[in-house]
Amino acid sequence: MTVPDEWEVLEERTEYETGWYDGGYDRLEQPDGSEKRYYWADLPPAVVVVARIDSGVLADTAAGEDEFDTDDRILFIEQYRPTTRETHLELPAGIVEDGESYTQAATRELEEETGFRPTSTALLQEYAVATGVLRHDRAIVYAEGLESGERELDNNEFLEVTTVPVEEGLERAREQPANDATLEGLLLAKEDGML
């Protein structure tokens, strides 16, 4: 990380460490000579997956459920978020493990959370999140050509897999409670002509 010449880092302090993230502050001399603490949380990189699933794949895996229409759908998860005390409709997402690329992490996370494995992925965007308080990078990956895989949830994941027709995905994601990563992922995929 580079600091412009007119900003001097006087102190960097980590005040707490969790298994999930670190938190602390930097004390800086600002361009006008005054000093200020800037608080931060440092999180590992994450990936969000916009996964388009063919209705035929759903029909093959639905065994005995209602028939699906012939439209492609977007794969979502419904997940209770203890932090906000709400259940959200979200795109599959997760942490990028050491040595993984964003597309490798997307493939792994999608299969672990939903039981579907993509045959094709594309990195749509990498960006910094909430730069006023977070040290956290996120990427949006588009996935298609989904095949049945092996679902393997983490011990803190209690997820329900659901699908929404591609044409309704953004509208559904905008329903409250809405979340940033899902909206960003769908908007980027739509802008790039994937949806």
Side-chain angles (χ1 to χ4, degrees), residues 17 46 50 52 54 62 73-75 78 89 98 125 130 152 160 185-187 190:
E17 297 175 1
V50 180
R52 185 180 191 132
D54 181 276
R73 301 174 78 82
I74 300 171
L75 209 51
E78 287 183 297
L89 181 69
D98 289 340
Q125 186 70 47
E152 189 177 327
E160 295 295 324
L186 292 171
L187 288 168
K190 185 174 182 178

Side-chain angles (χ1 to χ4, degrees), residues 26-122:
D26 292 342
R27 187 168 55 89
L28 283 93
E29 182 178 322
Q30 300 177 114
D32 66 0
S34 63
E35 293 181 14
K36 181 168 177 64
R37 286 184 180 180
Y38 287 88
Y39 289 87
W40 47 261
D42 191 354
L43 288 80
V47 64
V48 178
V49 188
V50 180
R52 185 180 191 132
I53 188 163
D54 181 276
S55 60
V57 172
L58 285 174
D60 291 344
T61 59
E65 297 180 18
D66 295 335
E67 288 186 32
F68 287 94
D69 53 39
T70 58
D71 296 331
D72 284 359
R73 301 174 78 82
I74 300 171
L75 209 51
F76 284 95
I77 57 169
E78 287 183 297
Q79 180 170 217
Y80 176 73
R81 291 298 191 176
T83 305
T84 60
R85 300 186 180 126
E86 297 174 316
T87 298
H88 283 254
L89 181 69
E90 302 177 352
L91 294 171
I95 297 301
V96 178
E97 294 180 356
D98 289 340
E100 280 185 321
S101 69
Y102 283 115
T103 55
Q104 290 168 332
T107 298
R108 179 185 48 75
E109 284 290 343
L110 185 63
E111 184 173 9
E112 287 177 359
E113 291 187 359
T114 70
F116 291 99
R117 184 177 49 254
T119 60
S120 175
T121 58

Side-chain angles (χ1 to χ4, degrees), residues 112-114 151-159:
E112 287 177 359
E113 291 187 359
T114 70
R151 193 171 187 211
E152 189 177 327
L153 297 175
D154 292 336
N155 65 4
N156 67 337
E157 291 179 321
F158 303 91
L159 317 173

Side-chain angles (χ1 to χ4, degrees), residues 160-178:
E160 295 295 324
V161 179
T162 189
T163 64
V164 174
V166 170
E167 300 76 29
E168 299 173 21
L170 188 54
E171 181 181 335
R172 285 288 309 280
R174 293 181 73 177
E175 294 173 6
Q176 293 298 319

